[in-house]
């Protein structure tokens, strides 16, 4: 399986290179009197199917790294190497796409011009967006192949997770949150499993929604020169695209706020390994239905 996956990746890389080269050649042929921005948009739109296909192929290799692992020193694998790879590729895409995308709008609003041609901001933004779309396609392929659902909340478990989330929120937010959702804070704190309640209730749903929103709206904006897009649809897509970028910046700050105080747990996204015991075991309890502390070594992740 792994050999086949690597062969598909190699084939996908070759096809992607040929597709991008063909799009670049067509855009630079001089057949159309395009400016730099329009030419870059054309190349980006033409290259997208190849980038997405390559991401799907890479997701197959990522899936081959999925599985339970335990080291001799007792450390357990919280994230697979494929997940770590996808996470940092996605981070690279955000680093390139978010600042350049925000400047395209802020520069016009503030009426400020930098000594850098605007089309270069668009070019870097397209590169970053392509990396983000590649990572999204790889993760979708990875999840499809592994069938991992460990970050999803099972039916009938929402009340327990909402209670657990209350104890992970800052004290200033915990009270209003509990009052709004009518959560009884006199109940004992439920034990955690492999993932924290914040990761399952807040992180996964919010990132999934934002990535889907910015992906769909970005594809509509990029494809407007290839297929007819009604004016209202384009306006709505542009508005939601900007809103998604702002929301992602806010979510990134929240992600850092939550991550660094829990680095012993979250740091596994750089090494894949977590050396300390599972939270549920430290509390002297385990989760029901097989999601106990020993489930940390189960290899499930996203």
């Amino acid at each position: 399986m792994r050999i086949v996956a690597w062969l598909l990746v190699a084939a996908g890389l070759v096809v992607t290179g040929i597709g991008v080269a063909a799009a670049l050649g067509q855009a630079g042929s001089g057949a159309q009197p395009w400016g730099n921005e329009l030419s870059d948009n054309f190349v980006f739109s033409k290259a997208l199917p190849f980038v997405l296909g390559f991401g799907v192929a890479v997701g197959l290799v990522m899936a081959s790294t999925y599985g339970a692992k335990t080291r001799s020193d007792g450390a357990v694998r919280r994230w697979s190497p494929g997940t770590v790879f996808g996470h940092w590729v996605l981070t690279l895409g955000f680093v390139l796409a978010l600042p350049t995308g925000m400047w395209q709008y802020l520069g016009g609003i503030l009426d400020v011009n930098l000594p850098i041609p605007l089309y270069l901001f668009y070019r870097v933004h397209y590169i970053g967006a392509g990396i983000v779309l590649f990572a999204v396609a790889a993760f979708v392929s990875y999840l499809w192949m592994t069938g991992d659902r460990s970050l999803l909340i099972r039916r009938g478990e929402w009340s327990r997770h909402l209670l657990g989330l209350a104890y992970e929120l800052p004290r200033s937010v915990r009270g209003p949150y509990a009052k709004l959702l009518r959560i009884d804070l006199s109940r004992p704190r439920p034990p955690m499993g492999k993932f924290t309640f914040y990761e399952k209730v807040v992180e996964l749903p919010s990132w999934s929604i934002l990535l889907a929103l910015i992906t769909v709206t970005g594809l509509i904006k990029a494809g407007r020169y290839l297929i007819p897009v009604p004016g209202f649809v384009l306006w709505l897509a542009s508005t939601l695209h900007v809103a998604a970028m702002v929301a992602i910046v806010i979510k990134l700050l929240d992600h850092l706020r939550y991550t660094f105080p829990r680095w012993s747990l979250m740091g596994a996204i750089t090494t894949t390994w977590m050396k300390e015991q599972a939270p549920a075991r430290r509390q002297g309890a385990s989760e029901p239905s097989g999601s106990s502390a020993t489930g940390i070594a189960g290899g499930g992740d996203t």
Side-chain angles (χ1 to χ4, degrees):
M1 173 63 186
R2 183 169 297 186
I3 295 177
V4 173
W6 278 110
L7 289 175
L8 288 174
V9 168
L13 181 60
V14 172
V15 172
T16 301
I18 294 173
V20 173
L24 286 170
Q26 188 175 359
S29 64
Q32 295 288 344
W34 290 339
N36 289 313
E37 293 177 23
L38 182 57
S39 178
D40 290 346
N41 187 287
F42 175 84
V43 172
F44 175 69
S45 301
K46 286 287 189 179
L48 274 181
F50 301 100
V51 172
L52 294 174
F54 183 47
V56 170
V58 170
L60 300 180
V61 174
M62 290 168 55
S64 69
T65 69
Y66 177 86
K69 296 287 184 179
T70 304
R71 285 195 323 210
S72 58
D73 61 356
V76 293
R77 175 167 284 168
R78 189 169 192 252
W79 306 102
S80 72
T83 297
V84 172
F85 168 78
H87 174 272
W88 290 111
V89 169
L90 189 61
T91 301
L92 173 62
F94 279 147
V95 168
L96 296 176
L98 282 178
T100 51
M102 296 298 294
W103 179 253
Q104 292 171 25
Y105 295 94
L106 289 177
I109 293 173
L110 301 176
D111 194 22
V112 175
N113 294 316
L114 294 179
I116 302 174
L118 183 61
Y119 78 87
L120 291 179
F121 284 95
Y122 276 94
R123 183 169 296 176
V124 175
H125 183 72
Y126 288 142
I127 293 173
I131 294 174
V132 169
L133 291 171
F134 162 81
V136 169
F139 269 124
V140 170
S141 174
Y142 169 87
L143 293 174
W144 180 270
M145 292 297 298
T146 62
D148 178 46
R149 301 296 183 269
S150 55
L151 268 171
L152 297 179
I153 301 174
R154 295 173 296 180
R155 183 178 300 178
E157 291 285 312
W158 270 99
S159 60
R160 188 175 69 85
H161 279 76
L162 292 176
L163 174 62
L165 174 63
Y167 288 102
E168 293 181 359
L169 295 174
R171 291 185 179 274
S172 59
V173 180
R174 185 180 305 167
Y177 163 83
K179 183 178 180 180
L180 177 65
L181 298 182
R182 298 180 180 179
I183 295 174
D184 184 7
L185 292 179
S186 64
R187 295 167 57 191
R189 179 175 184 167
M192 281 192 305
K194 179 180 177 181
F195 298 105
T196 66
F197 295 106
Y198 195 83
E199 286 177 294
K200 298 179 74 171
V201 178
V202 178
E203 290 276 74
L204 177 65
S206 59
W207 279 120
S208 299
I209 292 171
L210 290 175
L211 282 173
L213 181 61
I214 203 165
T215 297
V216 172
T217 55
L219 290 176
I220 293 174
K221 285 167 55 66
R224 68 187 184 274
Y225 295 115
L226 300 180
I227 57 176
V229 177
F232 174 76
V233 174
L234 183 59
W235 171 83
L236 183 62
S238 298
T239 303
L240 293 177
H241 196 71
V242 176
M245 283 195 295
V246 174
I248 287 176
V249 171
I250 296 173
K251 191 69 194 77
L252 281 172
L253 295 175
D254 175 68
H255 184 67
L256 295 175
R257 172 202 66 81
Y258 185 77
T259 297
F260 285 112
R262 298 167 177 80
W263 189 250
S264 60
L265 188 66
M266 304 298 177
I269 200 61
T270 60
T271 65
T272 75
W273 299 100
M274 189 176 70
K275 292 185 178 181
E276 61 183 37
Q277 289 181 322
R281 184 174 293 171
R282 291 201 306 270
Q283 296 171 2
S286 61
E287 286 199 64
S289 304
S291 55
S292 64
T294 56
I296 276 191
D301 53 58
T302 188

